[in-house]
Amino acid sequence: VLMTPLQERVYKAVREEVMEELAETNLTSIPNAFAKLLRLQQAANSLDLLGMPPSSKNSAKLDTLDDLLQSLIDEGGQKVIVYSRFRSMVDIMQERYKKYNPAVVHGEVNNQGKSKQTVMREIAQKYNIATLSTEELERLIEKHTASERQQQVYKFQEDSSCKLFIGSAPACREGLTLTAATHVIFIDCEWSPAYVEQAYSRAHRIGQKDALTVYYLVCMGTIDEKVQEVLSRKDGMAQEMLDKGIDAYNIMQARELIHFMAG
């Protein structure tokens, strides 16, 4: 994907900030540089993530995703999963693609289910329990006692009007079965091949009857290309440093890594 001219200008400015951070050799500057690497990913995604006013020039990736979803969903009748590591990007896509009645899971979706007693009261208000078979009642109880997170999974798996699942990748690595999807699209990637594999494996698991196609939207000449290189090497060092932090023993390694990712 080619960034818009506006994206290119902002991306270049953020990249220059990263390289200035690296001119320092003390420990305090390295975490700041890593944080700015995430800002580079955000700039490649959409300038909305950096707080810039909404504009049609803010995101070449979303323009590309528009066309891809039209082809896969509107024309192909397929169900699709879209991931981003950024909660704010998930929110943008949830609003942008509401016509697909999306199921959405992010880090703040409630994992706690309702009690059976509460659910029985709710079922009694909506249904005539006397007319329900034992199997129907048990299915309703199971479905309604599920957490909000699991409710979103049910929606995607069972609701024919729900064509799209939008997920925050860190919140969707484990515990979800999304085999209704035949296509997975990464707007951006975490820097660990294990994390990426865990995310798309939500659809590539027991119960999947069709071939699964995985897409990565990559802005040319940006950190996106470097992340893909890291993933192809099966190198999770960048993500590990981001997750666990930097100490005096690996500061030079961290500096080299940031130079590579931002370069």
Side-chain angles (χ1 to χ4, degrees), residues 136-202:
E136 289 172 332
L137 181 58
E138 288 178 352
R139 181 170 175 77
L140 284 172
I141 291 171
E142 179 183 357
K143 187 170 184 177
H144 289 280
T145 53
S147 65
E148 181 184 352
R149 185 172 187 260
Q150 187 59 40
Q151 293 280 4
Q152 293 299 306
V153 172
Y154 284 139
K155 177 180 178 181
F156 183 69
Q157 290 286 95
E158 300 176 5
D159 186 344
S160 61
S161 71
C162 175
K163 299 297 186 182
L164 183 64
F165 181 95
I166 302 172
S168 170
C172 296
R173 295 188 204 125
E174 299 177 349
L176 302 180
T177 296
L178 302 170
T179 50
T182 49
H183 299 268
V184 177
I185 303 169
F186 286 89
I187 290 288
D188 52 67
C189 288
E190 296 180 271
W191 305 340
S192 163
Y195 287 176
V196 173
E197 182 177 355
Q198 282 179 305
Y200 70 66
S201 291
R202 300 308 93 211

Side-chain angles (χ1 to χ4, degrees), residues 30-137:
I30 298 298
N32 291 337
F34 264 104
K36 285 190 171 64
L37 288 181
L38 291 179
R39 285 176 60 80
L40 283 177
Q41 278 192 297
Q42 291 175 325
N45 280 1
S46 173
L47 299 184
D48 296 87
L49 303 189
L50 302 183
M52 296 191 66
S55 168
S56 59
K57 301 177 181 179
N58 279 1
S59 179
K61 280 189 181 181
L62 286 176
D63 292 341
T64 301
L65 184 59
D66 290 345
D67 295 338
L68 193 52
L69 293 182
Q70 180 177 352
S71 174
L72 296 176
I73 298 176
D74 297 330
E75 299 171 11
Q78 304 295 307
K79 287 201 173 193
V80 179
I81 299 169
V82 181
Y83 287 125
S84 172
R85 73 183 301 166
F86 301 108
R87 163 66 191 274
S88 49
M89 195 67 183
V90 170
D91 291 340
I92 289 170
M93 292 190 291
Q94 181 178 6
E95 176 62 25
R96 188 181 183 101
Y97 301 118
K98 58 186 178 182
K99 70 175 183 177
Y100 296 124
N101 186 25
V104 180
V105 169
H106 48 67
E108 296 178 17
V109 170
N110 190 352
N111 288 331
Q112 300 299 315
K114 299 178 182 178
S115 69
K116 184 174 181 179
Q117 185 178 12
T118 299
V119 167
M120 285 298 294
R121 287 198 298 268
E122 293 178 355
I123 292 174
Q125 292 173 354
K126 295 180 181 179
Y127 304 92
N128 182 351
I129 293 182
T131 65
L132 297 174
S133 68
T134 301
E135 291 77 12
E136 289 172 332
L137 181 58

